[in-house]
Amino acid sequence: MNKGVSLKFIGHSTFLIKSPEGKTVLIDPWIQGNPVCPEEARILDNLDLILITHGHGDHMPEAVDLAAKFDPAIACNFEISQWLQGKGVASPVIGMNKGGTTEIEGLRVTMVDARHSSSITEADGTIVYAGEPAGYIVEFENGYRIYHAGDTCVFGDMKLIGEIYRPDLALLPIGDHFTMGPLEASWACRLLDVKKMIPMHYATFPVLTGTPERLRELLDGFDVEVIELAPGQEIIMG
């Protein structure tokens, strides 16, 4: 139980996390089509759990294929759970809603709020409502807690997320345009009172102009470590 949490940044908002007891968690399954994911990071050996924050094509397009290959548990909002089951996913699909907590594969998973849109575009172009977006608090076997904010703006109740769940590490979007940029992310860090954060959802496309450098400038004087990971890079936390 004194082993750390291994976290690999796949790129954009996708992370592959291995728990201290060896459980493998994929947040927002976008790997093969992810333009910034290096080739060596596209190879997965196994998956125990997939977490989906919302329905957009840069966050869950490979959920069905990965479910068929690895048979992981999948946690998502209720609407996406129904869509996945309608696509024939036979893996355990756990439809949740905000504020709910469940234990999956020995990990404590809580769905929290996010402010964004959420939809799924079918192959014929039809747009399907995919429920409300969310973030997750994941508590690992050793008590280490990671907050993945999903796609979101900054919002005042991040202070409650910080006070209730006390995340050790926050994964926050900084790209701007579709999510918060560095300015808003700097306020999110302060509201959460988090000491370590990893920026995500930036530089994948030209429109995502936020940078870790700008975030560091805005956090100058605050006790927050900005951990910048290149796609494919892995780090041990906790």
Side-chain angles (χ1 to χ4, degrees):
M1 293 295 287
N2 58 0
K3 294 180 290 185
V5 176
S6 169
L7 185 146
K8 180 185 286 187
F9 182 42
I10 299 298
H12 200 57
S13 297
T14 304
F15 290 84
L16 185 67
I17 305 173
K18 184 164 285 189
S19 80
E21 296 301 316
K23 298 298 183 180
T24 303
V25 182
L26 182 67
I27 305 179
D28 280 356
W30 189 37
I31 299 175
Q32 303 306 323
N34 190 327
V36 297
C37 177
E39 285 301 319
E40 61 272 17
R42 299 183 193 276
I43 302 169
L44 301 181
D45 297 323
N46 69 291
L47 280 179
D48 296 299
L49 172 62
I50 293 175
L51 302 178
I52 299 172
T53 64
H54 65 292
H56 287 158
D58 54 344
H59 291 266
M60 60 160 285
E62 294 160 27
V64 174
D65 290 344
L66 289 171
K69 184 174 183 179
F70 295 110
D71 193 33
I74 302 174
C76 54
N77 69 32
F78 178 77
E79 288 79 7
I80 292 175
S81 76
Q82 298 298 292
W83 182 87
L84 289 170
Q85 290 167 353
K87 294 296 182 182
V89 170
S91 302
V93 181
I94 302 156
M96 301 179 65
N97 221 315
K98 298 174 185 180
T101 298
T102 187
E103 186 169 307
I104 312 171
E105 296 290 338
L107 311 178
R108 188 173 173 85
V109 177
T110 302
M111 181 178 283
V112 296
D113 199 12
R115 310 289 176 87
H116 194 60
S117 58
S118 178
S119 60
I120 298 169
T121 303
E122 300 280 18
D124 64 358
T126 303
I127 296 177
V128 177
Y129 174 64
E132 291 195 2
Y136 290 96
I137 299 286
V138 183
E139 182 175 340
F140 294 88
E141 301 98 337
N142 61 356
Y144 193 79
R145 298 186 188 98
I146 293 178
Y147 168 45
H148 188 296
D151 279 10
T152 190
C153 62
V154 65
F155 53 95
D157 282 353
M158 284 183 173
K159 182 174 175 61
L160 283 177
I161 291 173
E163 290 178 350
I164 294 170
Y165 303 108
R166 302 289 182 186
D168 299 287
L169 173 68
L171 314 178
L172 302 178
I174 67 163
D176 219 339
H177 194 85
F178 292 111
T179 69
M180 53 185 175
L183 174 61
E184 295 83 2
S186 71
W187 279 92
C189 289
R190 287 177 249 177
L191 288 167
L192 291 163
D193 192 28
V194 70
K195 303 306 179 187
K196 296 180 185 291
M197 69 84 64
I198 295 175
M200 64 179 184
H201 204 285
Y202 69 96
T204 316
F205 310 109
V207 72
L208 304 181
T209 57
T211 66
E213 292 78 14
R214 179 57 179 153
L215 178 60
R216 288 192 185 95
E217 291 173 3
L218 292 162
L219 286 170
D220 186 37
F222 294 91
D223 184 19
V224 182
E225 181 184 1
V226 177
I227 303 169
E228 181 181 352
L229 297 182
Q233 186 175 352
E234 189 169 359
I235 190 171
I236 305 296
M237 305 295 293

